[in-house]
């Protein structure tokens, strides 16, 4: 059974940084494109970032470009999301996702979901 386990969330002041990690078990994540979604209270879940299988391609939603960086470490079977210059509007539950066939930049392209890690940015 595949598990994606996120960590690294927490409470941070605006302008601060957090690094989210997503560790995989039950599956070699190097077979998958990986990504992150988020869902803020009262809002729909939205795509945040994705990275190709090789790590050679990265993609971001416009609101996080220049502030967030996605990366992956195949040896550790882990994907990261470095979040800098955080804003209160980044407050959300962040989900790690994996796509075995497509880049998971849409929910219908996601094959596996993590349980989520909460990020709260205070003003």
């Amino acid at each position: 059974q595949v598990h994606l386990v996120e960590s690294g969330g927490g409470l941070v002041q605006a302008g601060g940084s957090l690094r989210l990690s997503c560790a995989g078990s039950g599956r070699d994540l190097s077979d998958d494109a990986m990504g992150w979604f988020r869902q803020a209270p009262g809002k729909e879940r939205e795509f945040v970032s994705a990275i190709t299988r090789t790590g050679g391609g990265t993609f971001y939603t416009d609101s996080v470009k220049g502030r967030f960086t996605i990366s992956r470490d195949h040896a550790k079977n882990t994907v990261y999301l470095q979040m800098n210059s955080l804003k209160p509007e980044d407050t959300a539950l962040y989900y790690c996702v994996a796509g075995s066939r497509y880049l998971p930049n849409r929910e219908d392209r996601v094959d596996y979901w993590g349980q989520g890690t909460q990020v709260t940015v205070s003003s």
Side-chain angles (χ1 to χ4, degrees):
Q1 190 168 358
V2 178
H3 291 284
L4 301 177
V5 180
E6 304 96 335
S7 61
L11 174 64
V12 64
Q13 289 188 332
S17 298
L18 286 173
R19 188 176 80 155
L20 305 184
S21 299
C22 172
S25 65
R27 184 175 180 87
D28 183 352
L29 296 183
S30 63
D31 293 334
D32 301 324
M34 301 294 296
W36 294 88
F37 280 71
R38 68 185 179 184
Q39 187 168 23
K43 294 187 177 181
E44 293 186 353
R45 193 157 50 189
E46 65 171 350
F47 167 76
V48 176
S49 180
I51 187 167
T52 57
R53 290 176 179 81
T54 63
T58 57
F59 305 87
Y60 302 92
T61 192
D62 286 346
S63 62
V64 308
K65 284 180 181 177
R67 301 188 297 121
F68 291 11
T69 303
I70 191 171
S71 61
R72 63 190 306 164
D73 185 331
H74 289 298
K76 295 183 178 179
N77 212 32
T78 300
V79 176
Y80 305 97
L81 187 68
Q82 177 67 44
M83 306 186 296
N84 298 329
S85 301
L86 282 161
K87 304 175 181 180
E89 51 264 44
D90 294 318
T91 295
L93 187 62
Y94 282 72
Y95 296 91
C96 177
V97 298
S100 62
R101 295 160 294 167
Y102 305 108
L103 188 76
N105 58 349
R106 295 188 337 218
E107 291 200 26
D108 62 346
R109 293 181 171 181
V110 174
D111 293 302
Y112 305 103
W113 292 85
Q115 292 297 309
T117 185
Q118 179 67 39
V119 171
T120 303
V121 185
S122 63
S123 58

